[in-house]
Structure formats: C-alpha cells, structure tokens
Amino acid sequence: PAVEMKMKAEGVDPKVLDLDPESPSPNQPTAPAGTRTAAPVPVLLVKDDPKFAKYFKMLSMHLPRPAVEMKMKADGLDPKILDMNPDGPSPNQAKSEASKAPLILLKDDPKYAKYFKMLS
C-alpha cells in the first residue's frame, strides 16, 4: 500500500505493479515528435541475396536443377530456397532498426524501477 500511495503521489498508475516485471515496458523509446524515422530498408530479393544469387544464376544458365540442389546441399544451404519466388523478399532480409532497439523490461524502466525495487 505504501508503494501504491507513493506512485499515486507522483502521478504514476499503481496498476503497473500488477503487471509482470519481466514484461516489456509500455514506455518503449520512440522517435521524438516531429523527427523523421529512418528511411525504410530496401527489400533484398531472394535472387539478389549474395548467399543465393549464384544458385539462381546457375539455373538461369540452364544447369539441371538437381545439380544446383546438390551444390546447395554441399554448401550447407536448404535447396527449398529455389522453390521460393526469386522476386520475393529474402529470408536473410535485415530487420528494421526499430526491431533492433533493445526491449526495456518493466522492472528496468526508469519510470517504474524504483517502485519495483521498493517491493523487493
């Protein structure tokens, strides 16, 4: 109760204490208002992916598909890639910068950390 009263006095919703401290904080950092976000990452096509390009080139040069599949297996790659749409996005497509941002846990969020520490 004392922690909840302190939270109310500081204008923080005490219902946060009912959430799992290991869950993501609702206060994830975002870009400041009025700023532009990073330009979208260009889509890397399967046929243009450096990891797979040579196999699609082999097919375009009319090498037998089983031979290309054997080469892929020998190189440690899954030949099912050849079944994908060559103009589709590569499974190796880099994730957006937003997904690379570290996730702040509720217990580590500066706004709530001191209250969780009071409880422990």
Side-chain angles (χ1 to χ4, degrees), residues 21-93:
E22 298 293 326
S23 65
S25 171
N27 296 330
Q28 294 300 323
T30 57
T35 60
R36 291 183 157 198
T37 57
V41 177
V43 176
L44 179 62
L45 303 180
V46 176
K47 67 179 182 181
D48 297 331
D49 187 327
K51 194 170 182 181
F52 309 124
K54 74 177 184 178
Y55 306 107
F56 284 100
K57 183 171 182 172
M58 292 166 83
L59 288 175
S60 72
M61 297 179 78
H62 304 288
L63 263 69
R65 184 178 172 116
V68 176
E69 289 177 0
M70 285 178 46
K71 177 64 176 160
M72 288 184 80
K73 286 179 187 175
D75 291 343
L77 297 173
D78 186 1
K80 291 181 182 175
I81 295 292
L82 298 176
D83 296 330
M84 295 176 70
N85 178 2
D87 294 319
S90 171
N92 297 331
Q93 175 72 36

Side-chain angles (χ1 to χ4, degrees), residues 90-112:
S90 171
N92 297 331
Q93 175 72 36
K95 304 293 182 226
S96 69
E97 292 300 317
S99 66
K100 289 182 183 178
L103 201 63
I104 297 175
L105 299 180
L106 193 56
K107 68 177 184 176
D108 298 330
D109 188 321
K111 184 174 180 180
Y112 305 117

